[in-house]
Amino acid sequence: MSSESAGPGPAPAPAPAPEPGPLCPEHGQALKWFCFSEGRPVCAACTELGGRCQGHRIRPAEESAEELRNKIVDQCERLQLQSAGITKYVAEVLPGKSQRAVSMASAARELVIQRLGLVRSLCETEEQRLLEQVHGEEERAHQSILTQRVHWAEALQKLDTIRTSLVDMLTQMDDLQLIKEQEIFERTEEAEGILDPQESKKLSFDEKCAWSPLLTQLWATAALGSLSGTEDVRIDERTVSPFLQLSDEGRTLTFNAKKSKACADGPERFDHWPNALAATSFQAGLHAWVVNVQNSCAYKVGVALGQLPRKGSGSDSRLGHNAFSWVFSRYDQEFCFSHDGQHEPLGLLRCPAQLGMLLDLQAQELLFYDPASGTVLHTHRASFPGPLFPVFAVADQTISIVH
């Protein structure tokens, strides 16, 4: 008998049935869809024509869960990058801030002690006050840095907790649990509330705590007195404008309205503005010189870098109108301090007969002083980028370097 006519053999073993998941209470089918309109999982029959979710915003549950997984992965990566940035800030930036605060505090102490040494008998009380302010500012800077360390340590711990919680959700929840879990969004919002580190002046030492009008006044008087006659400042003839005449001893400049034809042109000479540079420059230390200005109603005195342009009528070679020069100027009854095109008016009650200039390259400070009255006319603090030359300009009568 052929096998075709034989009776049916034993039935094959049935395939293992998949583990039953939640079923639709209405249709008894697996809940493989999610209705966003009703906010609950539904079966395929619920989404078909006549189903209760017909026309609703529905999507396969597996697809929605996969999208959420991708979002969680992206959020975990962002949290990891944020944690890395904060870790780098704590490890690299804050130690530098701390070291800079210590260094600036040390420099401020040296500046205070050095200046008060010149007038010790008059300002013992001022010294103590300023040193206490420096110490207090140093303590404040350190405290701010320590507070930042604690704050960012807590932020890192919080971010790590959030990231761990999200990873647990990602690895331990099934699709439906993941879709219904609102804590994901709460955790994400919580992480977004932790801001990245920002630069703050509170983390830096404020060197203004070492500034004192009394100290500046006394120090300028003592410094100009002790340095009187020590600086032999002379004008470099090669730089003198053809509108100026230089005296034989190299210290007096006289303005001429008519351009001189006797001056041989050269790369060092100013060819338009009535300017001149000193023959020597200052690179370090403390320097003072005095200029007699009583005969002129239009002049400029100060310092300039050697790369100050010499040619043309533009602002590049005009004193006080560029980044290469810092000058005190007078025009008739108006006085001002000028640098890089910025002009600061100075309300002087009288016209000084002489102007003293005090250049402290250690403190990066330029001070203009009236020797007759003992008045500090203006103080400018800046980071000078190179050696400085005394610079002069006169557009009325004469000015002379006092020696």
Side-chain angles (χ1 to χ4, degrees):
M1 181 180 294
S2 67
S3 61
E4 293 182 359
S5 61
E19 291 187 13
L23 300 178
C24 175
E26 184 177 349
H27 302 100
Q29 298 183 21
L31 300 173
K32 295 187 176 181
W33 294 78
F34 191 84
C35 177
F36 289 93
S37 300
E38 296 186 2
R40 67 182 186 88
V42 296
C43 69
C46 293
T47 68
E48 295 173 350
L49 185 64
R52 62 180 295 168
C53 293
Q54 179 187 354
H56 289 183
R57 188 166 64 91
I58 60 174
R59 194 175 183 186
E62 182 180 0
E63 183 179 324
S64 297
E66 182 62 24
E67 181 178 327
L68 276 175
R69 285 192 181 91
N70 290 335
K71 289 182 178 180
I72 293 175
V73 170
D74 291 342
Q75 182 64 36
C76 288
E77 290 177 351
R78 284 194 293 270
L79 293 175
Q80 186 173 5
L81 288 174
Q82 186 179 13
S83 297
I86 294 175
T87 300
K88 183 178 180 181
Y89 177 81
V90 173
E92 299 179 8
V93 177
L94 290 184
K97 292 286 186 183
S98 179
Q99 184 60 39
R100 181 167 176 80
V102 171
S103 176
M104 293 182 70
S106 177
R109 285 193 189 91
E110 292 178 6
L111 179 63
V112 169
I113 295 172
Q114 176 192 20
R115 290 186 172 181
L116 287 172
L118 296 173
V119 287
R120 179 69 62 187
S121 61
L122 299 177
C123 53
E124 287 289 344
T125 302
E126 186 74 351
E127 178 186 23
Q128 183 62 33
R129 184 182 72 84
L130 290 174
L131 288 177
E132 288 177 357
Q133 284 190 181
V134 169
H135 178 73
E137 175 60 18
E138 183 182 18
E139 289 296 316
R140 185 209 58 76
H142 277 304
Q143 187 60 45
S144 295
I145 293 170
L146 289 175
T147 302
Q148 284 282 296
R149 286 185 183 277
V150 172
H151 171 77
W152 292 118
E154 293 175 352
L156 284 172
Q157 184 177 5
K158 193 171 184 180
L159 288 174
D160 186 63
T161 300
I162 295 172
R163 187 157 56 91
T164 300
S165 175
L166 291 174
V167 171
D168 289 344
M169 293 179 192
L170 185 66
T171 57
Q172 297 178 14
M173 291 185 178
D174 61 27
D175 293 353
L176 296 178
Q177 289 175 321
L178 196 61
I179 295 172
K180 293 189 292 182
E181 183 55 63
Q182 293 297 316
E183 187 179 354
I184 297 174
F185 305 101
E186 296 173 358
R187 290 291 189 176
T188 300
E189 291 177 359
E190 187 177 3
E192 291 173 350
I194 300 176
L195 302 178
D196 292 332
Q198 301 292 328
E199 181 64 32
S200 172
K201 291 183 179 180
K202 294 181 179 180
L203 300 178
S204 300
F205 181 87
D206 184 4
E207 58 184 352
K208 291 182 179 179
C209 68
W211 295 356
S212 162
L214 173 62
L215 175 58
T216 300
Q217 188 84 23
L218 295 173
W219 170 74
T221 303
L224 281 172
S226 64
L227 295 175
S228 178
T230 61
E231 301 287 355
D232 186 15
V233 177
R234 296 174 185 264
I235 295 167
D236 186 352
E237 191 278 334
R238 299 173 303 168
T239 69
V240 176
S241 163
F243 292 99
L244 300 177
Q245 180 180 344
L246 179 63
S247 63
D248 293 338
E249 83 277 14
R251 296 193 182 95
T252 300
L253 289 170
T254 302
F255 176 72
N256 292 316
K258 180 178 284 190
K259 189 174 184 179
S260 173
K261 297 180 180 179
C263 295
D265 193 19
E268 296 87 5
R269 192 178 303 282
F270 293 95
D271 66 355
H272 180 80
W273 298 107
N275 304 338
L277 282 178
T280 56
S281 64
F282 305 127
Q283 302 186 47
L286 182 63
H287 306 274
W289 63 101
V290 178
V291 179
N292 190 332
V293 294
Q294 63 180 339
N295 296 324
S296 179
C297 291
Y299 61 81
K300 295 178 181 180
V301 292
V303 295
L305 297 171
Q307 56 264 47
L308 174 68
R310 317 297 172 86
K311 307 301 180 183
S313 59
S315 295
D316 286 349
S317 57
R318 189 179 183 185
L319 300 186
H321 288 256
N322 50 66
F324 306 104
S325 56
W326 297 258
V327 295
F328 178 102
S329 66
R330 175 187 177 183
Y331 183 75
D332 199 11
Q333 298 300 312
E334 296 180 356
F335 300 85
C336 71
F337 172 79
S338 301
H339 170 64
D340 203 12
Q342 301 297 314
H343 310 288
E344 183 177 348
L346 304 176
L348 273 61
L349 299 178
R350 57 184 294 272
C351 300
Q354 292 185 337
L355 274 177
M357 275 140 286
L358 192 59
L359 177 63
D360 188 348
L361 289 170
Q362 177 186 354
Q364 295 287 284
E365 190 173 73
L366 174 63
L367 184 147
F368 298 92
Y369 183 78
D370 182 357
S373 64
T375 303
V376 175
L377 304 177
H378 184 72
T379 301
H380 180 75
R381 297 174 178 90
S383 180
F384 298 112
L388 296 173
F389 291 79
V391 69
F392 314 86
V394 56
D396 175 62
Q397 300 298 318
T398 66
I399 61 173
S400 301
I401 301 170
V402 177
H403 182 64

